[in-house]
Amino acid sequence: MKRLLILMIVPVLLLGFMFAGCEPVEEEPVEEPVDEEPEEPVDEEPEPVEQAVSVAIGAEPESLDPLRMSSAPAATVSEHMAENLIYLTEDGDLDPALATDWEIEDDGMSYLIDLREGVTFHDGEPFNAEAVKYNLDRFMGKGEFEGVDQADFAFLLGEVDEVEVVDEYQIRIHMEERFAPLIAHLSHSFIAMHSPAALEALDEGDEVEAPVGTGPFKYAGWDRGEQIVMERNEDYWGGAPELEQVTFKFVPEGSSRVIMLETGEVDAVMDIPFAEIERLEAEEGINIVYEESVRNIYIGFNMESELFKDNKELRQALNYAIDNQAICDVIFEGAYEPATAPILPPVFGYHEVGPYEYDPERAQELMAEAGYEDGFEMELFHPVGRYPRDEQVAETVQGMLAEVGIEANLTTYDWGTYLDMVGQEDPADREDDAYMLGWGTVTWDADYGLYPLFHSEEWPPSSNRSYYANEELDALLEEARREMDPDMREEIYAEAIEIIWDDAPWLFLYDQVQVNAELDRVEGLIHHPLENISAWDARIVE
């Protein structure tokens, strides 16, 4: 990660002053001074920000508090302000960030981590070992935060016993059990470092709205439903970025994002509509950016609903009823591929078991075995604008299910409300039988792609929104976490994935590919496989 240091150009404003003239006297002309009246100040237009970039994304962050963040939009925005100990590059490498070095000790039962010196938070407070301990304890609900709500993604540090301050710039993480993916998990955007002083200043029950991190940009404002603005951190430890300002605009409709790009209202957009690709490729001044992804899109079954609980045959039937290849070919013009596992090929631990072949006759046979030979009615929730063409996919799935006698009623909400609706802690509060979501395995480790989504201890408020439980699978996922040998881990994950695929707690859809666009006047934007755009090193070149 390069860091650019620039000299700021300070404009000089020239002010003119008017002086009163002299009045003649009839007999002897004498110049008498006249008191000046102060001139009224003139309102001046604010100087334009020359180095500023705006990015349109499809959804607004549900929160910027590490305890409550749960989506890629939240991570995309937050990472510009709050940094991690370790940085996962676009090539999948784990690089130093606020941590400079790390060492596995005692056969994986502890990790010694060296921290970067001379770093300060945006409020001037020092970054040091005490700050790291404070953040990690808060995230886990341990130490002084014992008994306080832990983070929704606390599973990322689920086997950590204690964070020890060794000295001012060194910590030791003690484990309850060996935990092979720990270093990869420390790269997760939700475990970013925030100023303890700023966190302590929060009123009880309040969440972080204005992150006070160590990153290259500082929080400058959040217009709910519209945008978040950040400004350059002149004191950034890696050298101040060239950009003076970064704005993320929330625009659910893909065609609206494209219009904003074409008119120059924004400089880059995520997830352009596939129907627009060919036209935009022909437009001068616009660049299409193709980037792989580690995200799959699925329809999860509510395993506590009357329809799908203890009914594997019915869940499998829906998988056979959907022509995923047609969805990929027609809706996504061949850019996507049907899912072949609950995680994607670039992820460590991937094991190919699919796809489910399109077979409506087999679907109807399984429906009959499950006691639904005459079909049934179900409630399917889906988002709009969060994933490429999510609404069109939901409607297509609805049509395909209708062909085998299943009437799927579609319901959606805005993104924040949607997450609440499908994340109820009490299954009795859920009104859906199935829901559409996506998951990006952003640590590139199968633990992150499987444990939070399928382990029985990860029911909401964590990410197992299907309320899925399988004791055999639980044991395998726990074993894979403790096993330090990568080859053995891969074997365990292969067995786990085969169980998940056969048990079908999801309707497995497709693997996503990012198709973004940017104006050619912008250089240095990073389109990351983790489904985000980083403006750290960006600049305007016109």
Side-chain angles (χ1 to χ4, degrees):
M1 295 183 295
K2 64 180 179 178
R3 302 291 181 265
L4 301 177
L5 178 62
I6 67 170
L7 295 176
M8 294 193 64
I9 300 173
V10 180
V12 178
L13 302 178
L14 301 178
L15 301 177
F17 295 90
M18 299 295 294
F19 293 89
C22 301
E23 293 290 335
V25 180
E26 287 186 2
E27 296 193 1
E28 293 186 17
V30 178
E31 292 186 358
E32 296 183 1
V34 178
D35 291 340
E36 282 189 21
E37 293 185 4
E39 188 173 298
E40 290 294 324
V42 177
D43 291 335
E44 298 185 15
E45 292 293 327
E47 289 291 321
V49 179
E50 295 182 359
Q51 283 292 331
V53 162
S54 294
V55 180
I57 59 179
E60 183 172 15
E62 67 288 339
S63 176
L64 292 178
D65 192 315
L67 299 189
R68 297 295 169 258
M69 293 164 65
S70 62
S71 72
T76 296
V77 172
S78 173
E79 72 163 12
H80 288 77
M81 298 175 281
E83 297 177 288
N84 296 87
L85 297 178
I86 297 167
Y87 178 71
L88 181 66
T89 72
E90 58 268 33
D91 297 321
D93 298 325
L94 293 169
D95 283 0
L98 291 176
T100 58
D101 198 11
W102 48 89
E103 177 185 350
I104 302 175
E105 303 176 316
D106 192 20
D107 192 28
M109 290 302 294
S110 67
Y111 291 74
L112 185 65
I113 298 178
D114 296 328
L115 304 174
R116 191 173 299 278
E117 300 183 23
V119 178
T120 58
F121 290 100
H122 296 160
D123 59 1
E125 293 292 314
F127 167 79
N128 52 29
E130 291 289 353
V132 174
K133 176 176 173 58
Y134 185 96
N135 276 270
L136 297 184
D137 282 351
R138 180 177 185 263
F139 190 84
M140 296 183 294
K142 293 196 173 188
E144 66 179 281
F145 298 96
E146 191 77 40
V148 180
D149 284 349
Q150 61 182 6
D152 293 346
F153 275 54
F155 66 84
L156 287 164
L157 302 177
E159 304 298 333
V160 173
D161 179 43
E162 179 190 5
V163 179
E164 173 195 357
V165 174
V166 179
D167 60 32
E168 187 174 5
Y169 293 106
Q170 193 175 64
I171 62 167
R172 178 174 282 111
I173 298 178
H174 298 275
M175 312 304 297
E176 295 178 353
E177 298 280 355
R178 289 192 301 272
F179 189 57
L182 178 67
I183 296 302
H185 282 198
L186 287 174
S187 73
H188 198 290
S189 297
F190 297 170
I191 316 181
M193 297 293 107
H194 291 239
S195 165
L199 293 174
E200 288 176 351
L202 292 173
D203 291 333
E204 185 176 354
D206 284 355
E207 297 181 11
V208 173
E209 177 176 299
V212 181
T214 62
F217 294 95
K218 297 180 178 182
Y219 176 91
W222 186 346
D223 298 327
R224 296 286 177 168
E226 298 293 333
Q227 63 183 21
I228 287 177
V229 181
M230 293 165 276
E231 61 186 20
R232 176 167 55 203
N233 176 12
E234 301 290 351
D235 300 319
Y236 181 54
W237 62 265
E242 190 157 346
L243 288 180
E244 300 170 67
Q245 187 179 88
V246 176
T247 301
F248 283 93
K249 295 179 179 289
F250 319 129
V251 187
E253 178 56 49
S255 60
S256 297
R257 294 197 294 273
V258 169
I259 292 172
M260 294 171 73
L261 184 73
E262 291 180 296
T263 59
E265 185 177 350
V266 298
D267 302 286
V269 299
M270 294 193 68
D271 300 324
I272 64 173
F274 284 79
E276 302 276 15
I277 293 176
E278 184 175 355
R279 183 179 66 79
L280 290 176
E281 284 180 329
E283 284 202 26
E284 186 176 351
I286 293 178
N287 300 317
I288 306 299
V289 182
Y290 296 87
E291 180 58 69
E292 68 176 339
S293 169
V294 288
R295 178 176 299 280
N296 53 7
I297 305 297
Y298 65 92
I299 291 176
F301 297 116
N302 180 347
M303 302 287 280
E304 290 294 297
S305 76
E306 182 179 347
L307 277 172
F308 297 118
K309 186 174 184 178
D310 301 323
N311 203 335
K312 179 173 75 173
E313 290 77 15
L314 193 60
R315 301 193 300 268
Q316 289 180 338
L318 269 72
N319 274 284
Y320 284 113
I322 302 304
D323 189 347
N324 284 321
Q325 190 64 60
I327 290 175
C328 292
D329 291 343
V330 176
I331 297 180
F332 300 109
E333 302 185 15
Y336 290 7
E337 293 290 338
T340 57
I343 55 178
L344 277 69
V347 175
F348 170 83
Y350 167 80
H351 174 67
E352 182 175 343
V353 286
Y356 272 92
E357 297 296 335
Y358 176 53
D359 190 344
E361 291 184 1
R362 178 60 177 151
Q364 290 177 313
E365 290 173 1
L366 288 168
M367 288 169 59
E369 290 179 23
Y372 291 93
E373 61 273 6
D374 296 327
F376 58 89
E377 185 176 353
M378 61 178 285
E379 302 299 319
L380 172 58
F381 285 9
H382 71 93
V384 172
R386 172 61 186 91
Y387 310 110
R389 296 193 171 184
D390 42 21
E391 184 173 22
Q392 186 175 350
V393 170
E395 292 170 351
T396 302
V397 168
Q398 180 187 46
M400 291 177 176
L401 292 178
E403 293 179 4
V404 296
I406 301 173
E407 182 181 350
N409 301 314
L410 302 182
T411 305
T412 190
Y413 303 88
D414 66 86
W415 178 239
T417 305
Y418 183 79
L419 287 178
D420 290 339
M421 294 298 294
V422 299
Q424 298 293 325
E425 294 188 43
D426 185 350
D429 294 332
R430 287 276 288 271
E431 299 177 357
D432 62 301
D433 299 300
Y435 60 97
M436 175 190 282
L437 272 181
W439 185 264
T441 306
V442 297
T443 64
W444 292 40
D445 188 292
D447 179 80
Y448 182 75
L450 301 178
Y451 191 94
L453 295 167
F454 300 106
H455 195 282
S456 62
E457 292 184 358
E458 297 304 316
W459 286 19
S462 191
S463 299
N464 183 352
R465 294 180 172 90
S466 290
Y467 308 108
Y468 181 58
N470 182 311
E471 291 184 2
E472 182 182 5
L473 179 65
D474 283 354
L476 288 170
L477 296 179
E478 291 163 10
E479 182 183 358
R481 288 186 139 194
R482 294 190 295 268
E483 178 57 62
M484 302 300 288
D485 184 323
D487 293 336
M488 291 297 296
R489 290 187 76 213
E490 286 188 312
E491 292 182 13
I492 297 168
Y493 282 128
E495 186 177 351
I497 287 171
E498 289 181 3
I499 291 173
I500 292 168
W501 197 262
D502 178 69
D503 213 13
W506 288 359
L507 197 170
F508 302 94
L509 291 175
Y510 47 83
D511 298 342
Q512 185 173 317
V513 172
Q514 286 190 76
V515 185
N516 302 334
E518 64 183 31
L519 300 180
D520 62 8
R521 73 188 190 98
V522 184
E523 287 185 354
L525 285 175
I526 296 176
H527 300 258
H528 205 292
L530 305 188
E531 198 190 315
N532 65 28
I533 289 182
S534 173
W536 285 25
D537 297 327
R539 60 193 176 277
I540 301 296
V541 295
E542 68 173 14

